[in-house]
Amino acid sequence: MKKGGLLLLLCLCATQSHAQLWRDYKCFVRDTTGTAWVHLFELDAAQEEKAISALTGRAILDGFGQPLARVKTVVECVPLDVAFSSTTARQLDSVTPK
């Protein structure tokens, strides 16, 4: 019985370490026409680097879920409550509705 309990505990711990942790990020991106955007995305914080690289080709949506543009380049992504390191991104972020 003790071995079975230990095995169950190990399985639960392994499952927890691979769980997705979704978090809101604001990303400074350029679309296929070269236009700069600060756009909000919900990404898996546990695999942040992979999630950010997967944004290329993703649609930038308006408030109604309609596509406005497609991401060509991701310049910088930060959690929603963190300031961008780029001055250009900070300026654009200050005038982007949230």
Side-chain angles (χ1 to χ4, degrees):
M1 194 69 160
K2 286 184 179 181
K3 285 183 181 180
L6 181 59
L7 182 59
L8 178 62
L9 182 62
L10 287 173
C11 289
L12 288 173
C13 290
T15 303
Q16 288 292 341
S17 67
H18 294 293
Q20 291 180 322
L21 174 63
W22 294 98
R23 187 171 183 185
D24 290 328
Y25 284 80
K26 54 186 177 183
C27 297
F28 177 45
V29 300
R30 295 203 181 274
D31 68 14
T32 53
T33 65
T35 303
W37 299 76
V38 168
H39 196 68
L40 303 181
F41 294 98
E42 187 177 42
L43 304 176
D44 181 3
Q47 297 183 10
E48 181 179 322
E49 201 171 302
K50 186 177 180 180
I52 290 170
S53 66
L55 291 176
T56 302
R58 193 162 161 186
I60 297 171
L61 305 175
D62 67 11
F64 299 103
Q66 298 300 311
L68 297 170
R70 291 232 171 255
V71 176
K72 181 176 181 182
T73 308
V74 179
V75 180
E76 182 179 4
C77 283
V78 295
L80 197 54
D81 58 342
V82 176
F84 286 108
S85 61
S86 159
T87 304
T88 306
R90 283 194 310 270
Q91 289 172 344
L92 186 56
D93 186 34
S94 71
V95 297
T96 300
K98 308 282 183 298

